[in-house]
Amino acid sequence: MTDIATVILAAGAGTRMRSKKPKVLHQIAGRAMVSHLLDTVSALEPDLNIVVVAPGMDDVCEEVAPAVTAVQIEALGTGHAVASALPNLKEFQGDVLVLYGDTPLITKETLQRMIDMRREDDGTAVVVLGFEPDDPLEYGRLVTNPAGDLEAIVEFADASEAEKAIGLCNSGVMAIKGTLIQDLMDAIDNDNAKNEYYLTDIVEIARTKGHVCKVVKGAESELLGVNNRMQLAEAEAIAQKRWRHAAMAGGVTLIDPDSVFFSADTTLGRDVVIEPNVFFGPGVRIGDDVRIKANSHIEGTSVGDGAQIGPFARLRPGADIADDVKIGNFVEVKKATLEKGAKVSHLSYIGDARIGEEANIGAGTITCNYDGYDKFKTDIGAGAFIGSNTALVAPVTVGDGAIVGAGSTVTRTVDKDALMVERSTEVQKHGWAERFRAMKAKLKK
Ligand code: UD1
Ligand code: CA
């Protein structure tokens, strides 16, 4: 038991996103904002995570499972949202961390600092995470006393000119003493510019009840709130910068870091070199000593040690690339296993297939895996050699060590070590081209 519970607010309509999708499901580095928060808080090993959702947000419930969800029947404000989670906290005596689902970049270190400050002195009822952004925009302002303790949070819509001039802003993240939370929440009303129940009012309420409230300061880069698509892009940029640094710190060379995009779950081995303009979608694992050449797009793929990918490669979900495989330019691989040392060097589509060890797939080879209704598998044995411009009409098998002549359309099993050629007989007429040109020239006169 760590005596920490988290309440993540995710019930807001997110109107400013202009989206059919709930705001907290919008993604940063390929993962929903709310899931970034759950990932981060998991490092604190909370006893309980509660996500507050609006009615009908089944997609959010699905995304956050197994976290508990509480439904806020009507979006009456952040205070009302936290109150909706309280029935789940009846027995809970520890500290409650409140996070906003639209503030996904916070780090576990910052959360730990808040918990530590809350616990330093038992008279502290609330710790608020403040920050000093370059542009304080419409964030709530933190009013402190000369001792540095927090007196009140004033929402922008309710702030006087003097209060708007305060540079210290409310990030929304709070640590609240669990034994007091019910009492503090009960005292919140909606007597303000927006007629909402503001969570931020609990600071003033706690103080009038004789408790102390404190501020922990955090970096703007952790506390950006995402209300619109411009801020979503800003948050993405901050997250990407973090993954790039983590990759380089872990032994990966990025020739042009700013042009490489990672997903939150990308894993990279040692001595990987990534050339410019490479995009990693979700579910990618890259082994050691891999080189990923420029302009490649990779998702749902596992790449073994020593493999070479690209330039201009497209690896789609289910691509399982073993050690020392070579994937060249303009090659697309989907749901296919390429065994050790296999080569697909140019202009190919490999889908629903197995390519055996050391097999060589010639330029322009296509696995014809789809008949408009169903998908079928192509199986190519170890050491097989597929000539250029071959169409493999699945389901089809090419045995170990077999050779398929260039330009063939393969529809039947090719036996182990056989040669298979499917080509019509060539016709050659000597001097025909010269005579043809002469005839045309004559007609023109
Ligand atoms: C809030 C703070 C503001 C702070 C800012 C930081 C309040 C009253 N204001 O303002 O002081 O500077 O965040 O980003 O808290 N939500 C619900 N139910 C509701 C309303 C909101 O679950 O009824 C959720 C939203 O989904 C969102 C979060 O609470 O994840 C914050 O709500 P939002 O409306 O974005 O608050 P801000 O106006 O940004
Ligand atoms: Ca917000």
Side-chain angles (χ1 to χ4, degrees), residues 159-358:
S160 64
E161 285 311 312
E163 286 163 340
K164 282 179 189 166
I166 297 173
L168 186 59
C169 293
N170 176 30
S171 70
V173 186
M174 286 188 193
I176 305 167
K177 190 172 170 180
T179 48
L180 297 178
I181 194 167
Q182 184 75 54
D183 247 26
L184 298 177
M185 298 303 302
D186 286 346
I188 296 178
D189 63 25
N190 64 350
D191 185 14
N192 52 54
K194 291 191 180 163
N195 291 119
E196 282 186 4
Y197 294 87
Y198 293 162
L199 172 64
T200 46
D201 283 354
I202 69 165
V203 168
E204 231 178 321
I205 293 166
R207 282 197 49 262
T208 49
K209 288 180 186 280
H211 305 293
V212 177
C213 298
K214 299 211 154 145
V215 185
V216 160
K217 282 191 201 171
E220 182 177 9
S221 60
E222 285 187 33
L223 301 173
L224 172 77
V226 176
N227 296 312
N228 55 45
R229 309 258 184 174
M230 285 72 82
Q231 289 168 330
L232 183 68
E234 277 177 56
E236 178 78 38
I238 293 167
Q240 289 300 339
K241 210 171 205 170
R242 281 191 198 164
W243 307 136
R244 289 169 193 144
H245 284 179
M248 292 187 279
V252 172
T253 294
L254 303 180
I255 293 174
D256 178 17
D258 290 348
S259 72
V260 176
F261 292 82
F262 293 109
S263 282
D265 64 353
T266 307
T267 66
L268 302 163
R270 287 274 177 92
D271 288 313
V272 170
V273 177
I274 303 174
E275 296 183 5
N277 298 319
V278 174
F279 184 92
F280 293 92
V284 176
R285 192 200 67 84
I286 307 286
D288 295 337
D289 305 305
V290 171
R291 189 169 187 107
I292 300 176
K293 298 183 186 174
N295 301 304
S296 293
H297 188 284
I298 304 174
E299 55 188 329
T301 290
S302 165
V303 176
D305 297 345
Q308 293 214 36
I309 309 293
F312 296 98
R314 175 153 189 230
L315 304 181
R316 293 172 51 201
D320 187 0
I321 314 288
D323 295 354
D324 305 320
V325 164
K326 186 176 173 228
I327 306 275
N329 44 214
F330 306 107
V331 171
E332 175 179 346
V333 180
K334 184 219 77 168
K335 211 174 170 190
T337 301
L338 278 75
E339 296 178 352
K340 193 171 189 304
K343 289 188 179 61
V344 190
S345 297
H346 339 260
L347 300 151
S348 288
Y349 172 62
I350 305 296
D352 300 295
R354 177 189 75 99
I355 312 290
E357 269 187 46
E358 304 288 338

